[in-house]
Amino acid sequence: SIFTILVLTLLVLLTVATFLWNLLVLATILRVKAFHRVPHNLVASTAVSDVLVAALVMPLSLVKELSAGRRWWLGRELCLVWVCFDVLCCTASIWNVTAIALDRYWSITRHLEYTLLTRRRISNVMIALTWALSAAISLAPLFGWGETYSPEQERCQVSQEPSYTIVSTGGAFYLPLCVVLFVYWKIYKAAKFRMGGRRRNAVVPLPEAAQVKEASHEPQMVFTARHAAITFQTDGETWREQKEKKAALMVGILIGVFVLCWIPFFITELVSPLCSCNIPPVWKSIFLWLGYSNSFFNPLIYTAFNKNYNNAFKNLFVKQR
């Protein structure tokens, strides 16, 4: 039908766009020396996981969607490879988003002790733990924890063993979900506290004879001398406050899109094996591809809030021409 053709065309475009956009981010980070530092290594790790999702996972998922009854006709070996990379890359993408949120949180709330050297060490540890945990979850079925391939039913899917379902969904989604929600709550609380502190510390100007004013450009500083004590007030936001506000907005959008994309899939993935519920295959496919789409939105979000990426993209294309 025409509707089926339109849906398949949309899925193909989503796969290609996800691959190209994340590949562009990786190429930019590799070519621009200014990006060879924190937090761009976290962005690069996320882009690697999302590129692998688009290159190794989404095409085989599309082949499965095209088959009659969504059956798997490609054999046991390719099924194991597909499921392994599916769990590995999607879990790594989710935990990389969590690492970016944590990095922004520490840079906002602990900017004095969270130096560049400290950020580099912590980010490298987070990247190593991300891929190690993702590999452990994805490789567990290969060592007998559940079965992914059924030759009688020609079915290929993530292991439905209840114990594996609880551990895998918890480690791949529900644990990072709790982390990112806690992080954003702390960021919101810190931002609200600072805004309240700015209001409390505001000083009403004294008469002109006791005032010394700087230039009128924002932010305006008004200094008052009285009994050898100096106080000040700030009209407008400082550079650091603007940077923190922008980082908090980016983290909020990143977390919001991450939750909207993945929570339908992981709810059904957890509930279905435990209650033996028969969820219609079409809804499983919709939730799965909605989760895959998070790999497309990730680079859009964290590059939209960084002007350096936009300038680097332009320079990259100009040099190639």
Side-chain angles (χ1 to χ4, degrees):
S1 64
I2 296 177
F3 178 75
T4 304
I5 295 174
L6 290 176
V7 170
L8 291 176
T9 303
L10 179 62
L11 295 182
V12 171
L13 291 177
L14 176 64
T15 302
V16 174
T18 302
F19 177 77
L20 293 179
W21 190 245
N22 284 283
L23 195 64
L24 178 62
V25 171
L26 278 176
T28 303
I29 294 175
L30 291 175
R31 289 176 63 92
V32 180
K33 292 183 178 180
F35 289 162
H36 295 176
R37 66 179 192 276
V38 178
H40 300 286
N41 58 348
L42 294 172
V43 176
S45 180
T46 309
V48 168
S49 60
D50 291 336
V51 161
L52 293 177
V53 169
L56 303 177
V57 179
M58 295 170 75
L60 290 177
S61 297
L62 189 59
V63 171
K64 183 181 178 182
E65 296 295 331
L66 289 171
S67 63
R70 294 179 174 83
R71 296 179 178 178
W72 186 265
W73 295 343
L74 301 177
R76 178 184 178 85
E77 289 74 16
L78 197 55
C79 170
L80 295 177
V81 171
W82 174 64
V83 171
C84 182
F85 275 108
D86 188 359
V87 177
L88 171 68
C89 301
C90 292
T91 304
S93 178
I94 291 171
W95 273 107
N96 278 316
V97 170
T98 307
I100 291 176
L102 282 170
D103 176 76
R104 295 299 191 272
Y105 164 64
W106 288 323
S107 65
I108 290 174
T109 59
R110 303 178 182 179
H111 59 273
L112 294 179
E113 62 265 30
Y114 198 53
T115 61
L116 183 61
L117 180 60
T118 303
R119 292 184 74 181
R120 182 177 290 111
R121 291 175 178 174
I122 293 178
S123 64
N124 289 334
V125 170
M126 288 193 295
I127 291 173
L129 290 176
T130 290
W131 288 99
L133 177 62
S134 302
I137 294 175
S138 64
L139 294 175
L142 299 181
F143 295 94
W145 200 356
E147 185 59 52
T148 60
Y149 179 69
S150 175
E152 296 81 10
Q153 300 176 352
E154 293 182 326
R155 184 179 61 190
C156 180
Q157 60 182 358
V158 178
S159 173
Q160 300 296 294
E161 179 72 25
S163 58
Y164 176 77
T165 298
I166 295 173
V167 172
S168 62
T169 57
F173 177 74
Y174 291 106
L175 179 58
L177 175 64
C178 294
V179 173
V180 295
L181 291 179
F182 173 77
V183 163
Y184 191 66
W185 175 71
K186 295 291 286 185
I187 291 175
Y188 173 78
K189 189 177 179 180
K192 189 176 181 180
F193 174 78
R194 291 197 180 192
M195 292 300 296
R198 290 181 69 249
R199 293 190 186 98
R200 290 193 300 270
N201 293 331
V203 179
V204 178
L206 291 176
E208 295 181 359
Q211 296 180 2
V212 179
K213 293 187 177 181
E214 289 187 353
S216 60
H217 61 273
E218 296 292 339
Q220 186 178 19
M221 307 293 291
V222 181
F223 295 89
T224 304
R226 180 189 290 178
H227 304 296
I230 299 177
T231 60
F232 67 91
Q233 78 175 37
T234 305
D235 297 329
E237 294 178 330
T238 63
W239 173 81
R240 172 159 288 279
E241 288 172 339
Q242 292 175 352
K243 183 178 179 181
E244 292 177 357
K245 185 177 179 181
K246 192 173 182 180
L249 180 61
M250 188 275 288
V251 171
I253 295 176
L254 192 70
I255 293 172
V257 173
F258 153 71
V259 173
L260 291 175
C261 287
W262 278 116
I263 200 166
F265 170 79
F266 277 100
I267 288 177
T268 57
E269 194 71 11
L270 178 62
V271 171
S272 180
L274 297 181
C275 69
S276 300
C277 303
N278 291 322
I279 299 174
V282 63
W283 284 107
K284 285 188 175 182
S285 297
I286 291 173
F287 295 154
L288 178 62
W289 282 90
L290 182 62
Y292 289 159
S293 68
N294 187 235
S295 295
F296 169 76
F297 290 116
N298 282 339
L300 292 180
I301 296 170
Y302 52 65
T303 58
F305 286 85
N306 195 322
K307 294 181 179 180
N308 294 330
Y309 277 103
N310 297 326
N311 296 330
F313 291 158
K314 294 177 183 178
N315 294 333
L316 186 65
F317 286 115
V318 168
K319 289 181 179 179
Q320 287 180 351
R321 291 179 181 177

